[in-house]
């Protein structure tokens, strides 16, 4: 027993000693009362040594420059943000402030530097003596490279009135210097995009290893629910999740032994990630989610695979070697579901191979196979922002076609007429190659009925059903301090001197109100009812609660549509298109108490 306690036992070896050989995703056994060192602990030591050995994970030729071997699909785009901005500023300066030079060679040197910048190359300060104004110019370039910090940007966006403009500006910051128009026309669902910033602090404040550590200490993080412990070695992908809470000592021991740590829903724990995603979801009109990945130096946590989401890989700390591969076949372009793990010999050659450093961004559409591994000299922390899961035309038609068919059956006798008595004689797989005029007539009839379905397709109702799913997926909005003061959260309702005080909402016909956000309400017609779905009471945990809605009387629907069309302008309660003033005040009060309306000025003086 004394020898047993002297033997160091890692969390990984303890886990492996209890997991039966076979599928690593099978149900895990409960912890035993006593732990013994696994025979596989030698493998862990080997992994540690491998991570410390220089050159264990070689950098591919051309990777640092983002070179790609090519392929049949559109080539990925590589953008050097710093060099592109520097080139633009220098060209503008040369046009507006020509430098007087007494000798030809100096002019030639300046022209050569400009040509290099046009090609996207960066200039070294030591390449030539500085010319007039160069120091000032260099300072302005550094300011661009740093850009607005995320916290400053979020604070600035708090003053923007329209929530869609907030979302658009945040997305522009995420992919700068690429414009949104260029991104959606050239890259979205088409090909990867790599943005190099040469500025490690660009995404600083979004998430960090220090914040991850604080979350482990201060909040209830559960293995398998909020955190996955993974490894990929010798072509084998394993998940090492114990049962229960992810305590810091256990988690960090897994990490020390070469395991990657994937936090599945950082928005549930990090206020900044929550704020960030709650704004972006309105840009996409689809749920914006995120995972964070912390990987030790010299290791890889996941096998090659593709996902069913549009992925934005944001490098936060350290660096990581990435390889991205084209979809293997047409059926895997924009897939509906994620893939299983692939072996290296199943995926071909990468179309993009690069090393992401802090401040860089890599986008790739769903269906593009990818894998990332850490170099021996640095750990990696990145966050993958994702969207557009189950948001295709096919997903809409899954809701539309059954409803259209049901309506057609109810309204058109042709859909209720009986099938031919002898149709089994010439249809079915066994008769698929039979040449029979009855079969041709049968197929023409089917095509006619399918074509007629469009006449009964409730497109708007189907879109509302998609919107209802989206509202269930949504994160709740993050309110600024000013918005809290102007919303139901600013009411001074309280218990005082043995009684409740200030619980009534003092609305009058002159009170000015508007929606808190444009994208937080949706009217849906369900049967003979009008339901108003909203997101203000959603959980930060995905689908932790049922969709939030309230039934709206028909006489109030015009008022809600009026608020949507007026947004972001404030309107007087008196202007709401309801029959009576009492109805107007009642509608405004209900929406205000749900957190959907804010007032132009505080209802109570502070």
């Amino acid at each position: 027993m004394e020898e047993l306690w002297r033997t160091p036992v890692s969390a990984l070896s303890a886990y492996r000693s209890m997991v039966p050989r076979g599928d690593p995703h099978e149900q895990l056994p409960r912890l035993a009362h006593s732990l013994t060192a696994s025979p596989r602990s030698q493998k862990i030591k080997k992994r540690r040594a491998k991570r410390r050995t220089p050159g264990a994970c070689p950098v591919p030729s051309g990777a640092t420059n983002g070179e790609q071997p090519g392929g049949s699909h559109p080539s990925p785009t590589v953008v050097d943000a710093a060099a592109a901005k520097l080139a633009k500023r220098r060209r503008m300066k040369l046009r507006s402030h020509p430098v007087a030079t007494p000798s030809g060679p100096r002019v030639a040197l300046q022209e050569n530097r400009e040509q290099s910048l046009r090609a996207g190359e960066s200039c070294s300060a030591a390449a030539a003596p500085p010319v007039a104004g160069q120091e000032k110019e260099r300072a302005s370039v550094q300011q661009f490279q740093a850009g607005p910090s995320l916290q400053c940007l979020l604070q600035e966006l708090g003053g923007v009135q329209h929530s869609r403009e907030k979302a658009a500006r945040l997305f522009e910051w995420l992919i700068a210097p690429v414009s949104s128009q260029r991104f959606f026309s050239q890259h979205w669902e088409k090909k990867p995009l790599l943005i190099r910033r040469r500025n490690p602090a660009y995404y600083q404040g979004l998430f960090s290893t220090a914040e991850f550590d604080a979350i482990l200490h201060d909040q209830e993080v559960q293995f398998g629910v909020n955190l996955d412990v993974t490894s990929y070695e010798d072509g084998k992908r394993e998940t090492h999740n114990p049962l229960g809470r992810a305590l810091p000592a256990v988690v960090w021991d897994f990490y020390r032994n070469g395991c990657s740590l994937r936090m599945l829903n950082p928005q549930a724990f990090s206020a900044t990630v929550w704020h960030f995603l709650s704004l972006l979801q309105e840009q996409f009109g689809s749920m914006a989610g995120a995972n964070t990945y912390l990987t030790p130096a010299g290791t890889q946590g996941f096998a090659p695979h593709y996902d069913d989401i549009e992925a934005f890989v944001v490098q936060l700390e350290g660096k990581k070697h990435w390889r991205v591969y084209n979809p293997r076949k047409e059926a895997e372009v924009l897939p509906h579901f994620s893939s299983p793990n692939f072996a290296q010999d199943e995926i071909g050659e990468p179309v993009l191979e690069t090393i992401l450093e802090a401040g860089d961004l890599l986008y790739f559409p769903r269906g593009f196979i990818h894998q990332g591994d850490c170099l021996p000299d640095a750990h990696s922390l990145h966050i993958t922002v994702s969207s557009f899961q189950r948001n295709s035309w096919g997903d809409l038609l899954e809701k539309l076609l059954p409803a259209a068919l049901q309506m057609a059956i109810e309204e058109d006798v042709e859909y209720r007429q009986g099938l031919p008595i002898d149709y089994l004689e010439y249809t079915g797989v066994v008769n698929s190659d039979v040449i029979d005029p009855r079969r041709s007539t049968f197929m023409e009839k089917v095509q006619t009925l399918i074509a007629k379905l469009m006449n009964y397709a409730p497109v708007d109702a189907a879109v509302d059903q998609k919107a209802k799913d989206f509202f269930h997926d949504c994160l709740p909005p993050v309110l600024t301090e000013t918005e809290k003061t102007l919303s139901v959260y600013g009411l001074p309702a309280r218990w005082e001197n043995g009684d409740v005080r200030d619980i009534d909402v003092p609305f009058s016909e002159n009170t000015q109100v508007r929606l808190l956000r444009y994208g937080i309400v949706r009217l849906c017609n369900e049967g003979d009812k009008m339901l108003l779905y909203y997101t203000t009471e959603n959980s930060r945990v995905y689908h932790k609660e049922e969709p939030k809605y309230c039934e709206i009387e028909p006489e109030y629907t015009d008022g809600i549509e009026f608020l949507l069309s007026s947004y972001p302008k404030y309107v007087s309660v008196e202007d709401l298109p309801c029959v009576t003033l009492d109805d107007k005040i009642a509608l405004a009060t209900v929406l205000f108490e749900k957190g959907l309306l804010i007032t132009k000025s505080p209802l109570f003086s502070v």
Side-chain angles (χ1 to χ4, degrees):
M1 180 64 68
E2 187 175 335
E3 288 301 317
L4 174 63
W5 287 108
R6 288 178 181 173
T7 304
V9 182
S10 72
L12 179 58
S13 62
Y15 169 86
R16 283 175 164 166
S17 69
M18 295 179 295
V19 177
R21 304 282 179 163
D23 185 358
H25 300 290
E26 291 178 353
Q27 181 66 35
L28 306 180
R30 294 193 174 274
L31 291 173
H33 291 292
S34 61
L35 303 180
T36 58
S38 165
R40 300 181 68 178
S41 60
Q42 295 299 322
K43 193 172 186 178
I44 301 170
K45 295 179 181 179
K46 179 180 177 182
R47 178 186 288 151
R48 282 182 176 175
K50 184 178 181 180
R51 285 159 49 204
R52 289 193 294 264
T53 304
C57 183
V59 180
S61 175
T64 56
N65 295 321
E67 296 177 3
Q68 306 91 32
S72 58
H73 290 256
S75 298
T77 301
V78 181
V79 175
D80 190 321
K85 187 67 175 181
L86 180 61
K88 180 178 179 180
R89 287 184 178 274
R90 285 189 180 276
R91 289 195 297 271
M92 292 175 62
K93 191 171 184 67
L94 286 171
R95 286 195 295 268
S96 59
H97 299 288
V99 179
T101 54
S103 60
R106 184 67 177 273
V107 176
L109 174 61
Q110 186 69 21
E111 291 174 348
N112 289 338
R113 297 173 97 190
E114 183 181 359
Q115 291 172 0
S116 296
L117 289 169
R118 289 181 187 272
E121 299 173 2
S122 59
C123 284
S124 169
V131 296
Q134 190 176 32
E135 291 300 325
K136 182 178 179 180
E137 179 182 327
R138 184 182 297 120
S140 65
V141 171
Q142 291 172 348
Q143 183 179 2
F144 164 77
Q145 287 176 279
S149 70
L150 178 59
Q151 295 301 329
C152 290
L153 178 63
L154 293 176
Q155 185 175 1
E156 178 184 331
L157 293 179
V160 176
Q161 293 301 308
H162 205 301
S163 56
R164 285 187 172 177
E165 183 183 347
K166 292 183 183 183
R169 288 176 59 176
L170 181 60
F171 184 69
E172 288 172 358
W173 174 84
L174 176 69
I175 63 170
V178 177
S179 68
S180 295
Q181 180 180 3
R182 174 185 168 188
F183 174 79
F184 284 109
S185 65
Q186 298 183 15
H187 295 279
W188 181 253
E189 295 189 329
K190 297 181 181 71
K191 64 178 182 177
L193 170 67
L194 169 63
I195 300 176
R196 294 187 173 284
R197 288 206 173 78
R198 308 179 190 278
N199 174 22
Y202 190 84
Y203 294 118
Q204 189 172 1
L206 179 54
F207 196 76
S208 67
T209 305
E211 183 175 6
F212 174 72
D213 183 60
I215 290 170
L216 292 178
H217 281 85
D218 301 336
Q219 304 194 48
E220 291 286 336
V221 179
Q222 297 289 319
F223 283 114
V225 178
N226 313 116
L227 186 70
D228 280 335
V229 179
T230 69
S231 65
Y232 178 71
E233 188 177 24
D234 299 329
K236 185 178 182 181
R237 156 81 160 81
E238 292 184 283
T239 301
H240 311 285
N241 293 335
L243 297 176
R245 181 178 174 181
L247 295 170
V250 178
V251 172
W252 289 123
D253 193 46
F254 274 118
Y255 176 85
R256 183 181 60 182
N257 283 281
C259 292
S260 287
L261 307 174
R262 174 174 65 179
M263 178 161 277
L264 299 171
N265 54 342
Q267 60 270 24
F269 303 100
S270 168
T272 303
V273 176
W274 167 30
H275 195 177
F276 184 79
L277 297 178
S278 70
L279 293 178
L280 278 184
Q281 65 192 6
E282 199 160 345
Q283 168 71 16
F284 297 118
S286 177
M287 173 189 170
N291 292 336
T292 63
Y293 299 82
L294 180 61
T295 308
T299 69
Q300 181 169 341
F302 294 87
H305 66 282
Y306 62 71
D307 295 312
D308 58 350
I309 47 90
E310 302 298 300
F312 298 82
V313 178
V314 177
Q315 190 69 25
L316 301 173
E317 296 175 6
K319 52 189 176 181
K320 201 166 199 178
H321 167 221
W322 281 90
R323 285 166 285 178
V324 181
Y325 308 77
N326 280 328
R328 302 179 304 170
K329 51 189 176 182
E330 188 66 22
E332 294 179 356
V333 175
L334 302 179
H336 208 217
F337 300 99
S338 296
S339 73
N341 296 328
F342 293 124
Q344 298 293 340
D345 58 3
E346 295 181 289
I347 56 180
E349 293 297 321
V351 293
L352 188 146
E353 188 164 14
T354 189
I355 295 174
L356 277 191
E357 299 185 1
D360 294 345
L361 178 139
L362 173 62
Y363 160 80
F364 45 82
R366 55 195 189 275
F368 276 74
I369 301 169
H370 53 278
Q371 61 178 321
D373 58 270
C374 270
L375 303 178
D377 59 341
H379 79 288
S380 169
L381 174 68
H382 78 266
I383 183 169
T384 297
V385 177
S386 61
S387 190
F388 254 59
Q389 186 178 50
R390 311 285 187 275
N391 204 42
S392 67
W393 285 103
D395 294 295
L396 175 62
L397 291 176
E398 282 183 344
K399 295 184 178 296
L400 177 62
L401 294 180
L405 181 57
Q406 183 62 38
M407 190 172 296
I409 292 173
E410 293 176 359
E411 297 185 8
D412 192 333
V413 67
E414 191 173 5
Y415 288 88
R416 301 195 299 271
Q417 291 173 346
L419 292 167
I421 294 175
D422 58 351
Y423 82 102
L424 294 178
E425 298 176 8
Y426 48 82
T427 58
V429 176
V430 69
N431 297 308
S432 59
D433 296 327
V434 172
I435 299 176
D436 189 315
R438 296 176 299 170
R439 179 179 175 84
S440 299
T441 303
F442 186 91
M443 293 301 177
E444 290 173 2
K445 180 69 172 181
V446 170
Q447 292 176 8
T448 300
L449 292 175
I450 290 176
K452 284 182 64 177
L453 272 182
M454 187 58 201
N455 298 329
Y456 305 96
V459 177
D460 291 323
V463 169
D464 284 341
Q465 292 303 307
K466 278 290 296 174
K468 183 175 76 172
D469 292 344
F470 169 45
F471 272 54
H472 190 199
D473 296 341
C474 274
L475 286 166
V478 177
L479 276 65
T480 65
E481 291 304 316
T482 300
E483 289 172 337
K484 290 178 182 177
T485 303
L486 302 175
S487 71
V488 66
Y489 303 105
L491 292 183
R494 64 198 181 280
W495 176 268
E496 183 177 280
N497 297 328
D499 198 1
V500 292
R501 306 286 182 182
D502 297 327
I503 61 172
D504 296 324
V505 180
F507 276 167
S508 70
E509 67 271 21
N510 297 320
T511 304
Q512 291 190 304
V513 297
R514 72 167 174 86
L515 289 171
L516 173 66
R517 302 278 189 274
Y518 183 82
I520 60 171
V521 294
R522 184 82 183 193
L523 271 174
C524 295
N525 189 348
E526 299 193 12
D528 58 350
K529 298 179 180 179
M530 288 298 296
L531 302 183
L532 181 68
Y533 287 87
Y534 57 94
T535 66
T536 51
E537 297 177 3
N538 281 8
S539 171
R540 290 162 63 178
V541 178
Y542 179 71
H543 286 190
K544 182 179 180 180
E545 301 175 7
E546 294 299 313
K548 304 297 181 181
Y549 65 90
C550 57
E551 185 175 349
I552 298 295
E553 296 299 326
E555 58 265 29
Y556 293 137
T557 57
D558 289 344
I560 294 172
E561 292 173 359
F562 178 71
L563 288 167
L564 281 166
S565 63
S566 301
Y567 180 87
K569 296 179 180 179
Y570 288 91
V571 297
S572 297
V573 171
E574 186 179 23
D575 294 332
L576 294 176
C578 300
V579 177
T580 67
L581 179 59
D582 287 343
D583 287 340
K584 297 175 183 183
I585 292 178
L587 174 61
T589 301
V590 168
L591 298 179
F592 183 81
E593 289 177 343
K594 292 293 183 183
L596 303 177
L597 290 187
I598 59 174
T599 57
K600 190 172 184 179
S601 57
L603 294 175
F604 290 82
S605 58
V606 179

